[in-house]
Amino acid sequence: MSKIFEVPLYPYQRSADQDAETPVRHPVVVVGAGPVGLALAVDLAMQDVPVVVIDENDKVSRGSRAICFAKRPLEILDRLGCGDPMVEKGVVWNLGKVYFDERQVFGFNLLPEQGHKRPAFINLQQYYVEQYLVGRLRQLEAEGKPVELRGGNKVINLSQDEAGAELTISTADGPYRLHADWVVACDGAASPVRTMLGLDFTGRVFEDNFLIADVVMEAKFPTERWFWFDPPFNRGQSALLHKQPDNVWRIDFQLGWDIDRDEELKPENIDKRLKAMLGEEISYELEWSSIYTFQCRRMERFHEGRVLFAGDSAHQVSPFGARGANSGLQDTDNLAWKLKLVIDGKAPITLLKSYDAERLQGADENILNSSRSTDFITPKSEISRIFRDAVLDLSERYEATRPMVNSGRLSVPCTYDGSPLNGPDCATMPERTRPGSPMVDAPVPGGWLLDQLGTGFHLLAIDSEGTDTLRVDGIEVRCLDLSTSDDAIGHLRQRYLGNAAAAVYLVRPDQHVAARWDHYDAAAVKAALRKAIGR
């Protein structure tokens, strides 16, 4: 059994801020050192934005918690410099199977096309993700980047005005105060920061409970996602099986609504469920267990004065679909570059309104899909159950009915259609790379497209002449020139040209498309850039 969550990773150390006569001011204070807070801190530090991360804990989260990390968040982690070790450690998977009663009704492939650096998903325990992010943060710190991680620091009070926020922080040596231009709350679903500001969630709490059991065992199941409806070992309910590194297996059992949580969490009762599923001869060690209730809720907005919210502090979705940590990483990806431009004075403070607009859209998509998943997995009436079971029966024989089966629509990135930052579009180009969409990776000379774009504004020019690096309002727009004559398999043409003879894409620092044209026009690019930074 892994002991990683028992070892202090960032133990409390007294800070010079605690001995200052007046509260020290920092540009950004991030509250919470989970995957979301750490990823935001890494992103800001890479862009030379001074950031302090504070957490009342001093070690990684206990238990595997979030385990499924999707392709788009893996690409974000690549940009942050820590994708490789996570993929190398993680269990890579693209395939899933759906069972009804004792039979498999169908299987699916989440990434059937070739030409991508990253898989559809990896399974990796959250404590490893946090460990790798802390390692990357320490690396940046050693390089002289302005980042600091403080364990054993608990926010006990927060107030704000138009100029910034003041935090009171409790430590083993007593409380101290900090000032911050910006505070980003990444402090989880029970967010103390959200409570201090008198804010709350709106949405649905579903009347059902699920047991998570992470067990260490030797098993020869393939590295696929297996989901059961009404299996013989959990009649009338559902179950899920996933493989993780280190021979850890995630097993979810649907329990129903009216349960005794303490009774269900007793090891002997978990043991009964596991033996019913896997057989009496099973030999395992229970690493972690928990019971969760499906919730699909969000704040009305993610931006309250000088405080911004990201991850579970801003929104909650049911775990089936792997939308929690994945959407949180997309929050930070959206926020970091905007905060950087505002702090540097290169964009108006109103640019942060687009964080609300775009990530509320992302949260609403996740909530919609999670709600539909939950309604399908846990039908609330006999008619609903009859309909669901009929769909499952039909899906075994008829492919057309399989999209109706919803065992947890798995995480996909949000395309920001209608974003106030979107510029011109070109109708002859592929829909999947329209303005607002995340860039689609492809093999290019020297490696992979997204790796070559990195962070910052870019022009991607394909078979286009006359493009060059631009500088607009103090912002550099670097150019990446590519030719379809080097595109042997045709991925670049298929994903970016469509019916156009040439293409010029303006790409945001979070690798979403800002605008695109079928030829280069410097004035049009400059106008689109100004729109993309909220001017």
Side-chain angles (χ1 to χ4, degrees):
M1 180 183 293
S2 176
K3 301 297 183 184
I4 184 175
F5 39 75
E6 297 179 2
V7 180
L9 191 60
Y10 43 97
Y12 169 72
Q13 293 181 323
R14 189 174 180 86
S15 164
D17 289 356
Q18 292 168 252
D19 300 315
E21 291 186 7
T22 59
V24 176
R25 192 174 193 93
H26 295 273
V28 181
V29 172
V30 174
V31 183
V36 175
L38 291 169
L40 178 61
V42 168
D43 205 345
L44 291 171
M46 287 174 61
Q47 299 180 71
D48 296 308
V49 176
V51 56
V52 175
V53 186
I54 57 177
D55 196 302
E56 62 180 298
N57 201 355
D58 62 1
K59 53 181 73 71
V60 297
S61 299
R62 184 172 183 86
S64 57
R65 299 179 182 269
I67 65 166
C68 294
F69 291 87
K71 180 177 181 290
R72 179 61 199 143
L74 292 176
E75 292 164 351
I76 294 169
L77 292 164
D78 277 339
R79 185 176 61 76
L80 300 183
C82 48
D84 282 344
M86 294 188 190
V87 175
E88 289 166 7
K89 179 67 176 178
V91 173
V92 172
W93 66 278
N94 294 318
L95 304 177
K97 292 177 181 175
V98 176
Y99 295 84
F100 183 34
D101 198 348
E102 296 186 84
R103 68 190 192 275
Q104 179 185 330
V105 290
F106 68 92
F108 55 86
N109 186 343
L110 292 169
L111 190 62
E113 69 175 9
Q114 301 299 309
H116 293 270
K117 177 182 178 181
R118 293 308 184 199
F121 278 90
I122 66 166
N123 286 350
L124 183 65
Q125 295 94 318
Q126 180 173 320
Y127 48 75
Y128 281 125
V129 174
E130 292 178 12
Q131 183 186 42
Y132 291 130
L133 283 165
V134 169
R136 177 61 175 145
L137 188 149
R138 294 299 190 205
Q139 182 184 32
L140 292 168
E141 196 175 25
E143 293 170 4
K145 294 293 186 180
V147 60
E148 185 181 354
L149 174 57
R150 299 179 186 175
N153 279 240
K154 179 181 179 180
V155 178
I156 57 174
N157 192 45
L158 185 148
S159 61
Q160 61 171 325
D161 56 27
E162 292 182 359
E166 179 176 284
L167 303 94
T168 303
I169 299 167
S170 172
T171 73
D173 292 329
Y176 71 104
R177 291 182 297 153
L178 278 183
H179 286 166
D181 294 334
W182 298 96
V183 174
V184 186
C186 305
D187 52 346
S191 176
V193 170
R194 190 181 65 239
T195 301
M196 290 172 198
L197 294 180
L199 304 172
D200 203 354
F201 285 134
T202 59
R204 294 173 66 186
V205 176
F206 293 84
E207 293 187 357
D208 219 323
N209 295 285
F210 287 77
L211 169 72
I212 294 175
D214 278 356
V215 300
V216 182
M217 63 180 181
E218 295 285 346
K220 295 182 179 179
F221 304 122
T223 55
E224 300 169 344
R225 180 189 194 262
W226 288 3
F227 192 98
W228 288 266
F229 290 95
D230 194 22
F233 56 84
N234 198 29
R235 275 291 175 218
Q237 309 288 2
S238 62
L240 176 70
L241 176 71
H242 261 304
K243 183 180 182 180
Q244 305 174 61
D246 306 330
N247 289 320
V248 177
W249 294 81
R250 160 68 57 84
I251 302 173
D252 290 48
F253 295 100
Q254 185 181 0
L255 301 178
W257 180 241
D258 188 17
I259 64 166
D260 184 328
R261 297 170 75 94
D262 293 335
E263 192 69 19
E264 291 288 353
L265 284 170
K266 288 181 178 178
E268 60 268 28
N269 290 328
I270 295 175
D271 186 61
K272 288 178 185 177
R273 292 187 178 277
L274 291 170
K275 288 188 183 304
M277 178 182 187
L278 302 167
E280 287 291 332
E281 69 282 359
I282 180 177
S283 176
Y284 75 91
E285 186 177 1
L286 183 65
E287 179 172 275
W288 179 68
S289 61
S290 181
I291 290 177
Y292 61 85
T293 301
F294 272 5
Q295 301 186 44
C296 292
R297 308 188 296 166
R298 68 163 173 84
M299 298 176 66
E300 290 186 4
R301 57 185 179 275
F302 300 163
H303 174 203
E304 183 69 22
R306 289 285 174 151
V307 181
L308 301 118
F309 294 83
D312 287 350
S313 70
H315 45 74
Q316 287 180 279
V317 290
S318 58
F320 289 153
R323 297 173 179 275
N326 287 301
S327 62
L329 290 170
Q330 291 168 75
D331 290 345
T332 67
D333 191 47
N334 187 284
L335 176 59
W337 68 273
K338 297 174 180 178
L339 207 48
K340 159 74 173 175
L341 290 176
V342 169
I343 288 170
D344 287 352
K346 294 179 180 178
I349 197 170
T350 51
L351 176 62
L352 295 176
K353 291 182 179 179
S354 71
Y355 172 66
D356 260 341
E358 293 179 342
R359 293 313 300 158
L360 283 171
Q361 180 183 344
D364 285 343
E365 282 188 11
N366 285 328
I367 287 171
L368 176 64
N369 282 291
S370 289
S371 298
R372 287 173 173 172
S373 296
T374 307
D375 286 334
F376 193 86
I377 293 167
T378 62
K380 299 303 184 289
S381 69
E382 186 59 26
I383 292 297
S384 296
R385 182 176 293 277
I386 291 170
F387 171 79
R388 188 206 62 186
D389 292 353
V391 168
L392 288 166
D393 276 328
L394 290 168
S395 69
E396 185 175 10
R397 289 172 292 163
Y398 301 106
E399 187 174 347
T401 62
R402 291 172 188 171
M404 299 172 68
V405 176
N406 195 334
S407 63
R409 292 276 187 264
L410 287 151
S411 176
V412 294
C414 178
T415 293
Y416 304 130
D417 289 318
S419 168
L421 307 187
N422 288 351
D425 190 13
C426 179
T428 59
M429 293 178 185
E431 183 181 14
R432 69 191 294 191
T433 45
R434 65 192 182 275
S437 64
M439 296 287 284
V440 181
D441 207 3
V444 297
W448 295 94
L449 175 60
L450 296 186
D451 286 344
Q452 295 197 22
L453 290 175
T455 297
F457 278 97
H458 282 78
L459 281 179
L460 170 63
I462 304 172
D463 294 340
S464 180
E465 297 181 357
T467 51
D468 199 0
T469 295
L470 294 174
R471 195 167 188 86
V472 182
D473 297 341
I475 298 172
E476 184 179 64
V477 183
R478 288 168 285 177
C479 187
L480 175 61
D481 283 298
L482 296 174
S483 170
T484 54
S485 63
D486 300 317
D487 187 26
I489 306 176
H491 292 311
L492 204 61
R493 171 168 289 282
Q494 178 201 30
R495 295 167 191 176
Y496 287 96
L497 284 185
N499 295 322
V504 176
Y505 281 75
L506 178 62
V507 184
R508 302 178 352 178
D510 59 0
Q511 298 182 344
H512 278 249
V513 177
R516 60 182 182 176
W517 306 264
D518 59 7
H519 66 284
Y520 177 64
D521 181 329
V525 171
K526 290 177 181 178
L529 176 68
R530 290 191 176 104
K531 187 174 185 183
I533 62 172
R535 289 195 180 278

